[in-house]
Amino acid sequence: MSTPLRIGIAGLGTVGLGVIDILRTHATTIAMRAGRPVEITAISARSRRDRGIDLSAYAFEADPADLATRDDVDLVVEVIGGENGPAKETVEAALASGKHVVTANKALMARHGTALAALAERHGACLRYEAGVAGGIPVVKALTEGLAANAVTRVMGVMNGTCNYILTKMEATGEDYSDVLTEAQALGYAEADPAFDVGGMDAAQKLALLTIAAFGTHVDIDAVKVEGIEQVTLTDIRYARDLGYRIKLLGVARSGDGAVEVRMQPCLVPAQSPIGQLESVVNMVVIEGDFVGQTVFQGPGAGAGPTGSAVVADIIDIARDIRVPTFGVPVADLREYPTTTAGSPATYYLRLTLEDRPGMLAKVAAALGQHGISINQMRQTEHEGGSAPVLIVTHACLRQDLDKALDEITGQSMCQDTPVAYRIETV
Ligand SMILES: NC(=O)c1ccc[n+]([C@@H]2O[C@H](COP(=O)([O-])OP(=O)(O)OC[C@H]3O[C@@H](n4cnc5c(N)ncnc54)[C@H](OP(=O)(O)O)[C@@H]3O)[C@@H](O)[C@H]2O)c1
């Protein structure tokens, strides 16, 4: 029998217990696929409380950094969470000892991923994070292996199940954002403090990781444009639908002109596109390559089973001795392109609440025209008291030009409300 790969698991929450369940349930199959047994030897958590399964066969370490340096651990699974603190200390201790690391921690990887990958390279260890991006969907593997023949042209994704649940439920039931958020919390889809999800940062961290792997560039997570779904109204969801679109919290990354453009924001996408048809908590990632064209990956983005599945797949690769650099290329080969928020040209959906008096539409058209923005479609919806809601779809323009025109429209008091503007992403 070949030498077992010995696993230490730091964190016994949702994901940690999911990993243990899979390693036990499929021990024989995993050993065959990996070419060697995969055995858990040690575990760590804050407390030794009963977790509903027998963990007595494994050594327990109160400090996960001690687990990371045990002689009987070859690979550390970090499923504690958090971008610093014990998670980072554990991963650094493991890599510095030449032990492999598999993590589900997007916050840690988005902030410190390239430094940790460099540490792994210096010590001849593997660092993998498939579970940190879109849960059970093998999208890091797709980028770094399956699509490695291509120059990636664009990566897009709906990577936060909570947000997609809220937006699709609002559309289906006509309920407001706050009511659906409360329901999502009751169902366990949203955290008690949902800011990280609905504010877009959870999905932005995943997008940052995909961007590094897709374009071979460093990404400054603080420079990523992040906008959440808190301001998305039922009114805009319905108007977008009438125009043939749906609103999604969409992450988009592309590279060009010596910069990498990374944005996480609510966008309109064609209702009939794969992303437009995505319902509920499901995630989707679209990768476009110069030779392959468009590829679409869909699946569960969270939960013990899907996330554990991705962790164990990384473990099996390491057990097979498959050595892929963390981000597809060695850290020294990652380019230093700046991370930019300047969006490429796009068409925009605008909703303006104009004063209901003659000549207002002409003034709006003139303000847009002065900044080089032409109108593709304009619709005036039913009047509400003294206001006239107007929907505009522009031809392709730059966001900075649009913002100048909207400032002018607001400055001249043509609008009764703050104008609403969403990018329409071609999918
Ligand atoms: N849940 C998902 O569906 C999902 C999906 C994708 C990625 N992830 C990522 O996976 C990671 C884990 O998530 P989770 O949902 O499993 O979290 P969780 O349920 O909160 O579990 C965290 C575990 O870490 C342990 N822990 C916390 N501080 C520790 C310390 N100082 N020393 C030792 N152990 C410590 C906790 O111990 P106690 O139990 O004793 O408190 C707990 O067992 C996070 O990075 C998360 O972003 C999760």
Side-chain angles (χ1 to χ4, degrees):
M1 174 67 86
S2 35
T3 322
L5 181 72
R6 298 164 305 172
I7 311 290
I9 300 182
L12 298 174
T14 305
V15 183
L17 294 180
V19 170
I20 293 173
D21 187 20
I22 296 171
L23 288 175
R24 286 177 172 182
T25 305
H26 290 312
T28 309
T29 312
I30 288 169
M32 283 190 298
R33 291 186 177 156
R36 59 202 279 208
V38 173
E39 293 177 2
I40 302 166
T41 49
I43 53 177
S44 177
R46 270 179 301 208
S47 82
R48 299 194 73 161
R49 67 187 161 80
D50 179 14
R51 295 174 195 268
I53 56 168
D54 181 8
L55 300 171
S56 58
Y58 316 135
F60 184 89
E61 294 283 359
D63 184 343
D66 289 340
L67 170 133
T69 50
R70 284 177 66 99
D71 289 340
D72 61 356
V73 167
D74 306 310
L75 182 155
V76 174
V77 173
E78 185 280 300
V79 281
I80 295 171
E83 69 180 44
N84 289 303
K88 180 165 177 267
E89 287 156 20
T90 302
V91 171
E92 285 175 340
L95 295 174
S97 316
K99 298 181 194 300
H100 309 299
V101 171
V102 174
T103 179
N105 188 339
K106 63 226 150 215
L108 172 79
M109 289 300 289
R111 174 71 58 193
H112 305 292
T114 50
L116 294 172
L119 182 64
E121 286 172 17
R122 282 201 297 281
H123 293 276
C126 291
L127 167 64
R128 303 189 58 143
Y129 58 98
E130 182 70 77
V133 185
I137 312 177
V139 68
V140 174
K141 201 172 178 67
L143 272 175
T144 55
E145 296 181 53
L147 300 174
N150 291 266
V152 175
T153 48
R154 184 170 59 159
V155 177
M156 284 180 288
V158 170
M159 292 181 285
N160 185 278
T162 308
C163 291
N164 205 53
Y165 173 83
I166 292 173
L167 294 174
T168 52
K169 192 81 198 294
M170 282 170 75
E171 182 180 343
T173 63
E175 289 170 274
D176 276 338
Y177 169 80
S178 52
D179 292 337
V180 180
L181 173 59
T182 308
E183 270 173 53
Q185 285 169 318
L187 287 167
Y189 292 154
E191 302 286 335
D193 176 4
F196 195 60
D197 288 319
V198 297
M201 186 42 91
D202 169 83
Q205 289 174 339
K206 298 168 188 170
L207 179 67
L209 293 173
L210 284 183
T211 308
I212 305 173
F215 302 108
T217 59
H218 288 274
V219 169
D220 175 2
I221 183 67
D222 294 327
V224 175
K225 183 178 173 66
V226 186
E227 213 182 299
I229 62 162
E230 303 100 319
Q231 308 302 326
V232 176
T233 62
L234 194 52
T235 305
D236 290 307
I237 289 176
R238 286 183 165 158
Y239 284 149
R241 185 185 57 197
D242 293 346
L243 291 166
Y245 298 100
R246 292 183 95 189
I247 300 180
K248 297 286 174 193
L249 179 65
L250 187 68
V252 181
R254 70 178 95 220
S255 117
D257 300 330
V260 56
E261 176 191 329
V262 195
R263 293 178 276 109
M264 178 59 65
Q265 59 188 169
C267 288
L268 269 64
V269 295
Q272 296 312 316
S273 63
I275 290 180
Q277 292 179 52
L278 196 66
E279 298 288 341
S280 194
V281 292
V282 181
N283 281 202
M284 181 174 282
V285 176
V286 175
I287 304 171
E288 294 168 350
D290 57 352
F291 279 85
V292 72
Q294 188 177 76
T295 58
V296 179
F297 301 82
Q298 177 177 335
T307 314
S309 161
V311 168
V312 174
D314 277 346
I315 293 174
I316 292 172
D317 269 359
I318 292 170
R320 288 168 168 157
D321 212 18
I322 293 174
R323 300 289 181 116
V324 179
T326 303
F327 294 104
V329 296
V331 173
D333 292 335
L334 289 174
R335 291 174 295 196
E336 292 285 354
Y337 284 0
T339 306
T340 167
T341 58
S344 44
T347 57
Y348 281 85
Y349 159 97
L350 307 179
R351 178 168 61 83
L352 309 175
T353 309
L354 302 182
E355 252 184 75
D356 191 10
R357 57 187 168 88
M360 296 307 281
L361 280 180
K363 280 187 171 183
V364 166
L368 290 170
Q370 266 168 25
H371 294 280
I373 298 163
S374 57
I375 294 172
N376 182 15
Q377 287 184 57
M378 186 186 277
R379 271 189 208 179
Q380 196 157 15
T381 64
E382 69 286 356
H383 293 208
E384 293 163 2
S387 332
V390 170
L391 302 183
I392 293 173
V393 175
T394 69
H395 281 293
C397 64
L398 288 172
R399 180 72 203 219
Q400 67 244 39
D401 294 335
L402 180 64
D403 284 342
K404 283 182 204 151
L406 292 177
D407 281 350
E408 201 168 311
I409 289 167
T410 316
Q412 290 183 22
S413 306
M414 294 181 226
C415 261
Q416 294 186 329
D417 266 340
T418 310
V420 173
Y422 290 123
R423 186 181 167 102
I424 302 178
E425 193 70 34
T426 314
V427 178

